[in-house]
C-alpha cells in the first residue's frame, strides 16, 4: 500500500490485512524515488493499493507503476477520470447516467452566458479538489460577478468554470461505496445546516438502505469510470437519483460505524481476488 | 515526546504508525510521526494541500 499520510482508513486497512493474514507492506511514497528510464524494478508485491492523499502524487506514482507493469488499484485511467469533475461528468453523460445539468466555460463573460441559459442558483466547482473546498453558490448575477472576479486572480485551474445547476434536493446527499462489482454500503450525508454535505465539513453520516435504484445507478457510474473502488455521490432530485461525483481513494471513517460494514476488510478481499486473477 | 510548539508531553497511541498525525493536547498543533532508528519522533505535519482529498 502506497500512502503519504496514515489516517483512520489506512490504520483500518492495516488491521484488516492482519485479520485476514494478508502480507500488507506499507510504502511511504515520499521516501522512495522511481527510476523512470531504468529497468531495475523493486519487488512491490502482487498488487498495489494506492492511498496517497495528494492527488498529484497519486496519479504520477500510479502512472509510473502501471506503465512498469504493476497492478494498481485504482488504475491510472480511473484515477484521472474520477479525480476531475469534468472528465467524470463526460463519462457519466456518455453512459446515460443521470447527472445534474453542467456547463463548462473559460472566462467570466462566457460563464455569464452559460448561467443565462442554465439559470440561477448554480454551483461553481473546481474541476479538481475535494472535501467541498472552493465550491461557490451562485445565487444571482451579483454573487456570480463577485466570485468570478476572485477566480480571475487565482491559479489557472480555477479559471476553468465548471458550473452545475443547483439540484432541488433534501438537505442531504447519498454516498455509496462500490468495490469491484458490488455496492457494499451507503450513507446519507446529512447537512449540519450548511448547503454543502461533505462529512469533512461536519455533515453527519447515517446508514442509507441500498435500494435497487441506488445499486444499479452506483454500479453503472462505477463502470463508466472503469473497475475499481469508488465512493459514488448521488442527489435525490425530484426526477430521481442523479450522480454528481465519483471519488477514488475513498474515506470511510464515518461510514464504518454508521453502517457496520467492514469496508476495509472488503477492500482486502477484493485486492486478494484481483491479485490472483 | 514533547510538543515542538509548547513543550507539552505528546504520547503516541500504542499501535501508532509512521505517517500518522498526532495532536498536542495542550496547544492543538499537529505533528507527523516518523521513525528514527527504532523510535517514533514527531515533525511538523504538512499543511493540507489543494490537491488533497478523495
Amino acid at each position: 500500500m502506497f500512502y503519504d499520510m496514515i489516517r483512520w482508513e489506512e490504520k483500518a486497512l492495516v488491521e484488516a490485512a492482519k485479520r485476514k493474514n494478508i502480507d500488507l507492506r506499507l510504502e511511504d511514497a515520499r521516501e522512495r524515488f522511481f527510476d523512470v528510464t531504468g529497468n531495475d524494478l523493486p519487488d512491490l508485491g502482487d498488487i498495489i493499493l494506492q492511498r496517497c492523499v495528494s492527488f498529484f502524487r497519486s496519479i504520477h506514482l500510479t502512472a509510473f507503476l502501471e506503465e512498469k507493469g504493476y497492478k494498481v488499484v485504482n488504475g491510472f485511467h480511473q484515477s484521472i477520470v474520477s479525480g476531475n469533475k469534468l472528465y467524470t461528468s463526460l463519462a457519466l453523460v456518455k453512459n446515460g447516467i443521470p447527472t445534474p445539468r453542467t456547463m463548462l466555460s473559460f472566462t467570466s463573460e462566457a460563464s455569464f452566458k452559460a448561467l443565462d441559459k442554465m439559470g440561477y442558483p448554480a454551483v461553481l466547482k473546481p474541476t479538481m479538489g475535494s472535501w467541498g473546498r472552493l465550491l461557490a453558490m451562485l445565487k444571482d448575477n451579483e454573487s456570480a460577478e463577485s466570485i468570478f472576479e476572485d477566480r480571475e486572480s487565482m491559479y489557472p485551474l480555477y479559471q476553468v468554470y465548471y458550473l452545475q445547476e443547483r439540484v432541488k434536493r433534501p438537505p442531504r446527499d447519498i454516498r455509496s461505496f462500490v468495490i469491484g462489482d458490488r455496492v457494499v454500503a451507503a450513507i446519507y450525508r446529512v447537512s449540519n445546516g450548511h448547503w454543502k454535505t461533505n462529512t469533512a465539513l461536519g455533515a453527519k453520516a447515517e446508514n442509507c438502505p441500498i435500494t435497487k435504484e441506488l445499486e444499479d445507478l452506483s454500479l453503472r457510474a462505477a463502470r463508466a469510470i472503469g473497475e475499481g473502488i469508488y465512493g459514488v455521490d448521488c442527489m435525490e432530485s425530484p426526477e430521481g437519483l442523479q450522480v454528481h461525483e465519483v471519488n477514488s481513494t475513498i474515506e470511510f471513517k464515518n461510514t464504518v460505524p454508521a453502517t457496520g460494514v467492514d469496508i476495509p476488510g472488503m477492500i482486502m478481499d477484493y485486492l486478494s481476488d484481483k491479485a490472483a486473477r | 515526546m514533547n510538543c515542538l510548539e509548547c513543550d507539552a508531553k505528546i504520547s503516541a497511541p500504542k499501535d501508532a504508525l509512521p505517517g500518522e498525525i498526532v495532536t498536542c493536547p495542550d496547544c492543538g498543533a499537529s505533528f507527523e510521526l516518523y521513525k528514527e532508528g527504532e523510535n517514533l519522533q514527531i515533525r511538523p505535519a504538512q499543511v493540507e494541500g489543494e490537491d488533497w482529498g478523495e
Side-chain angles (χ1 to χ4, degrees), chain A residues 240-268:
Chain A
L241 292 178
Q242 294 190 340
V243 177
H244 59 285
E245 271 185 43
V246 181
N247 299 277
S248 216
T249 328
I250 52 170
E251 292 167 329
F252 39 85
K253 180 175 73 179
N254 300 306
T255 306
V256 170
T259 62
V261 176
D262 178 19
I263 294 175
M266 288 176 168
I267 290 175
M268 284 299 137

PDB file of all heavy atoms in Angstrom, chain A residues 240-268:
ATOM      1  N   GLY A 240     -35.618  11.777  -9.540  1.00  0.00           N
ATOM      2  CA  GLY A 240     -34.949  10.528  -9.166  1.00  0.00           C
ATOM      3  C   GLY A 240     -33.492  10.792  -8.835  1.00  0.00           C
ATOM      4  O   GLY A 240     -33.048  11.942  -8.799  1.00  0.00           O
ATOM      5  N   LEU A 241     -32.737   9.724  -8.598  1.00  0.00           N
ATOM      6  CA  LEU A 241     -31.333   9.900  -8.199  1.00  0.00           C
ATOM      7  C   LEU A 241     -30.490  10.416  -9.360  1.00  0.00           C
ATOM      8  O   LEU A 241     -30.685  10.008 -10.508  1.00  0.00           O
ATOM      9  CB  LEU A 241     -30.760   8.560  -7.711  1.00  0.00           C
ATOM     10  CG  LEU A 241     -31.306   7.994  -6.406  1.00  0.00           C
ATOM     11  CD1 LEU A 241     -30.660   6.648  -6.094  1.00  0.00           C
ATOM     12  CD2 LEU A 241     -31.064   8.983  -5.252  1.00  0.00           C
ATOM     13  N   GLN A 242     -29.573  11.312  -9.021  1.00  0.00           N
ATOM     14  CA  GLN A 242     -28.612  11.819 -10.003  1.00  0.00           C
ATOM     15  C   GLN A 242     -27.214  11.687  -9.402  1.00  0.00           C
ATOM     16  O   GLN A 242     -27.020  11.998  -8.224  1.00  0.00           O
ATOM     17  CB  GLN A 242     -28.865  13.298 -10.296  1.00  0.00           C
ATOM     18  CG  GLN A 242     -30.185  13.561 -10.978  1.00  0.00           C
ATOM     19  CD  GLN A 242     -30.281  15.004 -11.475  1.00  0.00           C
ATOM     20  OE1 GLN A 242     -29.560  15.881 -11.013  1.00  0.00           O
ATOM     21  NE2 GLN A 242     -31.174  15.232 -12.410  1.00  0.00           N
ATOM     22  N   VAL A 243     -26.267  11.245 -10.212  1.00  0.00           N
ATOM     23  CA  VAL A 243     -24.885  11.111  -9.729  1.00  0.00           C
ATOM     24  C   VAL A 243     -24.139  12.408 -10.013  1.00  0.00           C
ATOM     25  O   VAL A 243     -24.166  12.902 -11.138  1.00  0.00           O
ATOM     26  CB  VAL A 243     -24.160   9.943 -10.451  1.00  0.00           C
ATOM     27  CG1 VAL A 243     -22.703   9.851 -10.001  1.00  0.00           C
ATOM     28  CG2 VAL A 243     -24.878   8.626 -10.189  1.00  0.00           C
ATOM     29  N   HIS A 244     -23.503  12.980  -8.989  1.00  0.00           N
ATOM     30  CA  HIS A 244     -22.744  14.204  -9.260  1.00  0.00           C
ATOM     31  C   HIS A 244     -21.249  14.037  -9.086  1.00  0.00           C
ATOM     32  O   HIS A 244     -20.480  14.876  -9.555  1.00  0.00           O
ATOM     33  CB  HIS A 244     -23.267  15.398  -8.447  1.00  0.00           C
ATOM     34  CG  HIS A 244     -23.227  15.220  -6.969  1.00  0.00           C
ATOM     35  ND1 HIS A 244     -24.119  14.432  -6.293  1.00  0.00           N
ATOM     36  CD2 HIS A 244     -22.390  15.736  -6.044  1.00  0.00           C
ATOM     37  CE1 HIS A 244     -23.838  14.488  -5.004  1.00  0.00           C
ATOM     38  NE2 HIS A 244     -22.790  15.251  -4.827  1.00  0.00           N
ATOM     39  N   GLU A 245     -20.802  12.969  -8.426  1.00  0.00           N
ATOM     40  CA  GLU A 245     -19.355  12.751  -8.300  1.00  0.00           C
ATOM     41  C   GLU A 245     -19.053  11.279  -8.143  1.00  0.00           C
ATOM     42  O   GLU A 245     -19.869  10.534  -7.583  1.00  0.00           O
ATOM     43  CB  GLU A 245     -18.807  13.463  -7.047  1.00  0.00           C
ATOM     44  CG  GLU A 245     -18.381  14.881  -7.276  1.00  0.00           C
ATOM     45  CD  GLU A 245     -17.727  15.501  -6.037  1.00  0.00           C
ATOM     46  OE1 GLU A 245     -16.916  14.829  -5.377  1.00  0.00           O
ATOM     47  OE2 GLU A 245     -18.044  16.662  -5.740  1.00  0.00           O
ATOM     48  N   VAL A 246     -17.878  10.888  -8.590  1.00  0.00           N
ATOM     49  CA  VAL A 246     -17.377   9.544  -8.308  1.00  0.00           C
ATOM     50  C   VAL A 246     -15.966   9.731  -7.747  1.00  0.00           C
ATOM     51  O   VAL A 246     -15.119  10.334  -8.403  1.00  0.00           O
ATOM     52  CB  VAL A 246     -17.346   8.668  -9.584  1.00  0.00           C
ATOM     53  CG1 VAL A 246     -16.837   7.268  -9.257  1.00  0.00           C
ATOM     54  CG2 VAL A 246     -18.737   8.585 -10.225  1.00  0.00           C
ATOM     55  N   ASN A 247     -15.753   9.270  -6.528  1.00  0.00           N
ATOM     56  CA  ASN A 247     -14.493   9.537  -5.833  1.00  0.00           C
ATOM     57  C   ASN A 247     -13.613   8.296  -5.746  1.00  0.00           C
ATOM     58  O   ASN A 247     -14.098   7.198  -5.463  1.00  0.00           O
ATOM     59  CB  ASN A 247     -14.772  10.029  -4.409  1.00  0.00           C
ATOM     60  CG  ASN A 247     -15.558  11.324  -4.422  1.00  0.00           C
ATOM     61  OD1 ASN A 247     -14.993  12.397  -4.565  1.00  0.00           O
ATOM     62  ND2 ASN A 247     -16.873  11.231  -4.304  1.00  0.00           N
ATOM     63  N   SER A 248     -12.318   8.525  -5.927  1.00  0.00           N
ATOM     64  CA  SER A 248     -11.319   7.462  -5.790  1.00  0.00           C
ATOM     65  C   SER A 248     -10.664   7.622  -4.410  1.00  0.00           C
ATOM     66  O   SER A 248     -10.929   8.603  -3.732  1.00  0.00           O
ATOM     67  CB  SER A 248     -10.278   7.699  -6.885  1.00  0.00           C
ATOM     68  OG  SER A 248      -9.788   6.534  -7.421  1.00  0.00           O
ATOM     69  N   THR A 249      -9.813   6.706  -4.008  1.00  0.00           N
ATOM     70  CA  THR A 249      -9.113   6.789  -2.706  1.00  0.00           C
ATOM     71  C   THR A 249     -10.094   7.160  -1.586  1.00  0.00           C
ATOM     72  O   THR A 249      -9.931   8.153  -0.872  1.00  0.00           O
ATOM     73  CB  THR A 249      -7.966   7.849  -2.726  1.00  0.00           C
ATOM     74  OG1 THR A 249      -7.416   7.903  -4.025  1.00  0.00           O
ATOM     75  CG2 THR A 249      -6.860   7.493  -1.740  1.00  0.00           C
ATOM     76  N   ILE A 250     -11.122   6.328  -1.468  1.00  0.00           N
ATOM     77  CA  ILE A 250     -12.260   6.669  -0.609  1.00  0.00           C
ATOM     78  C   ILE A 250     -11.912   6.711   0.882  1.00  0.00           C
ATOM     79  O   ILE A 250     -11.055   5.985   1.357  1.00  0.00           O
ATOM     80  CB  ILE A 250     -13.432   5.681  -0.820  1.00  0.00           C
ATOM     81  CG1 ILE A 250     -12.949   4.225  -0.682  1.00  0.00           C
ATOM     82  CG2 ILE A 250     -14.100   5.943  -2.145  1.00  0.00           C
ATOM     83  CD1 ILE A 250     -14.075   3.227  -0.630  1.00  0.00           C
ATOM     84  N   GLU A 251     -12.652   7.568   1.559  1.00  0.00           N
ATOM     85  CA  GLU A 251     -12.565   7.637   3.018  1.00  0.00           C
ATOM     86  C   GLU A 251     -13.802   6.957   3.587  1.00  0.00           C
ATOM     87  O   GLU A 251     -14.892   7.070   3.014  1.00  0.00           O
ATOM     88  CB  GLU A 251     -12.512   9.098   3.455  1.00  0.00           C
ATOM     89  CG  GLU A 251     -11.202   9.744   3.015  1.00  0.00           C
ATOM     90  CD  GLU A 251     -11.213  11.254   3.139  1.00  0.00           C
ATOM     91  OE1 GLU A 251     -12.288  11.845   2.992  1.00  0.00           O
ATOM     92  OE2 GLU A 251     -10.150  11.821   3.357  1.00  0.00           O
ATOM     93  N   PHE A 252     -13.642   6.239   4.706  1.00  0.00           N
ATOM     94  CA  PHE A 252     -14.786   5.501   5.249  1.00  0.00           C
ATOM     95  C   PHE A 252     -14.831   5.531   6.777  1.00  0.00           C
ATOM     96  O   PHE A 252     -15.503   4.740   7.410  1.00  0.00           O
ATOM     97  CB  PHE A 252     -14.811   4.053   4.724  1.00  0.00           C
ATOM     98  CG  PHE A 252     -13.444   3.410   4.627  1.00  0.00           C
ATOM     99  CD1 PHE A 252     -12.879   2.803   5.722  1.00  0.00           C
ATOM    100  CD2 PHE A 252     -12.734   3.429   3.438  1.00  0.00           C
ATOM    101  CE1 PHE A 252     -11.628   2.218   5.648  1.00  0.00           C
ATOM    102  CE2 PHE A 252     -11.461   2.844   3.351  1.00  0.00           C
ATOM    103  CZ  PHE A 252     -10.918   2.237   4.452  1.00  0.00           C
ATOM    104  N   LYS A 253     -14.128   6.490   7.342  1.00  0.00           N
ATOM    105  CA  LYS A 253     -14.076   6.631   8.807  1.00  0.00           C
ATOM    106  C   LYS A 253     -15.468   6.806   9.413  1.00  0.00           C
ATOM    107  O   LYS A 253     -15.766   6.275  10.475  1.00  0.00           O
ATOM    108  CB  LYS A 253     -13.196   7.852   9.135  1.00  0.00           C
ATOM    109  CG  LYS A 253     -13.038   8.142  10.603  1.00  0.00           C
ATOM    110  CD  LYS A 253     -12.074   9.280  10.844  1.00  0.00           C
ATOM    111  CE  LYS A 253     -12.679  10.618  10.464  1.00  0.00           C
ATOM    112  NZ  LYS A 253     -11.776  11.754  10.716  1.00  0.00           N
ATOM    113  N   ASN A 254     -16.316   7.563   8.733  1.00  0.00           N
ATOM    114  CA  ASN A 254     -17.663   7.807   9.260  1.00  0.00           C
ATOM    115  C   ASN A 254     -18.653   6.732   8.826  1.00  0.00           C
ATOM    116  O   ASN A 254     -19.709   6.579   9.440  1.00  0.00           O
ATOM    117  CB  ASN A 254     -18.168   9.178   8.774  1.00  0.00           C
ATOM    118  CG  ASN A 254     -17.253  10.291   9.237  1.00  0.00           C
ATOM    119  OD1 ASN A 254     -16.976  10.422  10.421  1.00  0.00           O
ATOM    120  ND2 ASN A 254     -16.738  11.076   8.306  1.00  0.00           N
ATOM    121  N   THR A 255     -18.325   6.033   7.747  1.00  0.00           N
ATOM    122  CA  THR A 255     -19.264   5.058   7.181  1.00  0.00           C
ATOM    123  C   THR A 255     -19.250   3.734   7.930  1.00  0.00           C
ATOM    124  O   THR A 255     -20.300   3.121   8.129  1.00  0.00           O
ATOM    125  CB  THR A 255     -18.926   4.826   5.690  1.00  0.00           C
ATOM    126  OG1 THR A 255     -18.915   6.088   5.043  1.00  0.00           O
ATOM    127  CG2 THR A 255     -19.935   3.914   5.029  1.00  0.00           C
ATOM    128  N   VAL A 256     -18.072   3.295   8.338  1.00  0.00           N
ATOM    129  CA  VAL A 256     -17.984   2.002   9.028  1.00  0.00           C
ATOM    130  C   VAL A 256     -18.841   1.994  10.302  1.00  0.00           C
ATOM    131  O   VAL A 256     -19.686   1.114  10.477  1.00  0.00           O
ATOM    132  CB  VAL A 256     -16.509   1.605   9.287  1.00  0.00           C
ATOM    133  CG1 VAL A 256     -16.409   0.399  10.206  1.00  0.00           C
ATOM    134  CG2 VAL A 256     -15.798   1.330   7.966  1.00  0.00           C
ATOM    135  N   PRO A 257     -18.712   3.014  11.193  1.00  0.00           N
ATOM    136  CA  PRO A 257     -19.587   2.995  12.378  1.00  0.00           C
ATOM    137  C   PRO A 257     -21.064   3.202  12.045  1.00  0.00           C
ATOM    138  O   PRO A 257     -21.935   2.649  12.711  1.00  0.00           O
ATOM    139  CB  PRO A 257     -19.065   4.127  13.251  1.00  0.00           C
ATOM    140  CG  PRO A 257     -18.105   4.905  12.441  1.00  0.00           C
ATOM    141  CD  PRO A 257     -17.688   4.074  11.281  1.00  0.00           C
ATOM    142  N   ALA A 258     -21.365   3.982  10.990  1.00  0.00           N
ATOM    143  CA  ALA A 258     -22.776   4.258  10.662  1.00  0.00           C
ATOM    144  C   ALA A 258     -23.471   3.047  10.054  1.00  0.00           C
ATOM    145  O   ALA A 258     -24.683   2.879  10.212  1.00  0.00           O
ATOM    146  CB  ALA A 258     -22.877   5.447   9.711  1.00  0.00           C
ATOM    147  N   THR A 259     -22.717   2.216   9.344  1.00  0.00           N
ATOM    148  CA  THR A 259     -23.349   1.097   8.622  1.00  0.00           C
ATOM    149  C   THR A 259     -22.999  -0.262   9.217  1.00  0.00           C
ATOM    150  O   THR A 259     -23.690  -1.251   8.943  1.00  0.00           O
ATOM    151  CB  THR A 259     -22.887   1.080   7.145  1.00  0.00           C
ATOM    152  OG1 THR A 259     -21.461   0.887   7.120  1.00  0.00           O
ATOM    153  CG2 THR A 259     -23.241   2.377   6.444  1.00  0.00           C
ATOM    154  N   GLY A 260     -21.919  -0.343   9.962  1.00  0.00           N
ATOM    155  CA  GLY A 260     -21.459  -1.631  10.486  1.00  0.00           C
ATOM    156  C   GLY A 260     -20.825  -2.505   9.416  1.00  0.00           C
ATOM    157  O   GLY A 260     -20.547  -3.684   9.652  1.00  0.00           O
ATOM    158  N   VAL A 261     -20.566  -1.931   8.245  1.00  0.00           N
ATOM    159  CA  VAL A 261     -19.984  -2.721   7.146  1.00  0.00           C
ATOM    160  C   VAL A 261     -18.455  -2.657   7.229  1.00  0.00           C
ATOM    161  O   VAL A 261     -17.879  -1.572   7.396  1.00  0.00           O
ATOM    162  CB  VAL A 261     -20.473  -2.196   5.772  1.00  0.00           C
ATOM    163  CG1 VAL A 261     -19.803  -2.949   4.632  1.00  0.00           C
ATOM    164  CG2 VAL A 261     -21.990  -2.315   5.669  1.00  0.00           C
ATOM    165  N   ASP A 262     -17.833  -3.809   7.090  1.00  0.00           N
ATOM    166  CA  ASP A 262     -16.376  -3.907   7.181  1.00  0.00           C
ATOM    167  C   ASP A 262     -15.746  -3.526   5.829  1.00  0.00           C
ATOM    168  O   ASP A 262     -15.235  -4.387   5.099  1.00  0.00           O
ATOM    169  CB  ASP A 262     -15.993  -5.335   7.592  1.00  0.00           C
ATOM    170  CG  ASP A 262     -14.485  -5.537   7.660  1.00  0.00           C
ATOM    171  OD1 ASP A 262     -13.749  -4.531   7.749  1.00  0.00           O
ATOM    172  OD2 ASP A 262     -14.050  -6.707   7.590  1.00  0.00           O
ATOM    173  N   ILE A 263     -15.777  -2.246   5.515  1.00  0.00           N
ATOM    174  CA  ILE A 263     -15.253  -1.797   4.213  1.00  0.00           C
ATOM    175  C   ILE A 263     -13.759  -2.119   4.071  1.00  0.00           C
ATOM    176  O   ILE A 263     -13.349  -2.640   3.031  1.00  0.00           O
ATOM    177  CB  ILE A 263     -15.546  -0.293   4.002  1.00  0.00           C
ATOM    178  CG1 ILE A 263     -17.067  -0.092   3.899  1.00  0.00           C
ATOM    179  CG2 ILE A 263     -14.853   0.241   2.759  1.00  0.00           C
ATOM    180  CD1 ILE A 263     -17.509   1.353   3.812  1.00  0.00           C
ATOM    181  N   PRO A 264     -12.925  -1.866   5.106  1.00  0.00           N
ATOM    182  CA  PRO A 264     -11.505  -2.203   4.913  1.00  0.00           C
ATOM    183  C   PRO A 264     -11.283  -3.691   4.649  1.00  0.00           C
ATOM    184  O   PRO A 264     -10.448  -4.063   3.815  1.00  0.00           O
ATOM    185  CB  PRO A 264     -10.836  -1.758   6.221  1.00  0.00           C
ATOM    186  CG  PRO A 264     -11.926  -1.432   7.173  1.00  0.00           C
ATOM    187  CD  PRO A 264     -13.141  -1.156   6.381  1.00  0.00           C
ATOM    188  N   GLY A 265     -12.042  -4.543   5.343  1.00  0.00           N
ATOM    189  CA  GLY A 265     -11.934  -5.994   5.109  1.00  0.00           C
ATOM    190  C   GLY A 265     -12.345  -6.348   3.685  1.00  0.00           C
ATOM    191  O   GLY A 265     -11.707  -7.186   3.031  1.00  0.00           O
ATOM    192  N   MET A 266     -13.392  -5.708   3.195  1.00  0.00           N
ATOM    193  CA  MET A 266     -13.860  -5.989   1.834  1.00  0.00           C
ATOM    194  C   MET A 266     -12.861  -5.503   0.791  1.00  0.00           C
ATOM    195  O   MET A 266     -12.700  -6.126  -0.259  1.00  0.00           O
ATOM    196  CB  MET A 266     -15.220  -5.322   1.604  1.00  0.00           C
ATOM    197  CG  MET A 266     -16.318  -6.036   2.360  1.00  0.00           C
ATOM    198  SD  MET A 266     -17.869  -5.177   2.171  1.00  0.00           S
ATOM    199  CE  MET A 266     -18.985  -6.412   2.820  1.00  0.00           C
ATOM    200  N   ILE A 267     -12.185  -4.405   1.098  1.00  0.00           N
ATOM    201  CA  ILE A 267     -11.141  -3.923   0.173  1.00  0.00           C
ATOM    202  C   ILE A 267     -10.015  -4.959   0.114  1.00  0.00           C
ATOM    203  O   ILE A 267      -9.506  -5.295  -0.960  1.00  0.00           O
ATOM    204  CB  ILE A 267     -10.619  -2.531   0.606  1.00  0.00           C
ATOM    205  CG1 ILE A 267     -11.709  -1.479   0.372  1.00  0.00           C
ATOM    206  CG2 ILE A 267      -9.337  -2.167  -0.133  1.00  0.00           C
ATOM    207  CD1 ILE A 267     -11.372  -0.068   0.862  1.00  0.00           C
ATOM    208  N   MET A 268      -9.644  -5.495   1.276  1.00  0.00           N
ATOM    209  CA  MET A 268      -8.579  -6.505   1.299  1.00  0.00           C
ATOM    210  C   MET A 268      -8.985  -7.750   0.513  1.00  0.00           C
ATOM    211  O   MET A 268      -8.194  -8.308  -0.239  1.00  0.00           O
ATOM    212  CB  MET A 268      -8.240  -6.867   2.750  1.00  0.00           C
ATOM    213  CG  MET A 268      -7.415  -5.838   3.461  1.00  0.00           C
ATOM    214  SD  MET A 268      -5.819  -5.602   2.644  1.00  0.00           S
ATOM    215  CE  MET A 268      -5.688  -3.829   2.677  1.00  0.00           C
TER     216      MET A 268
END
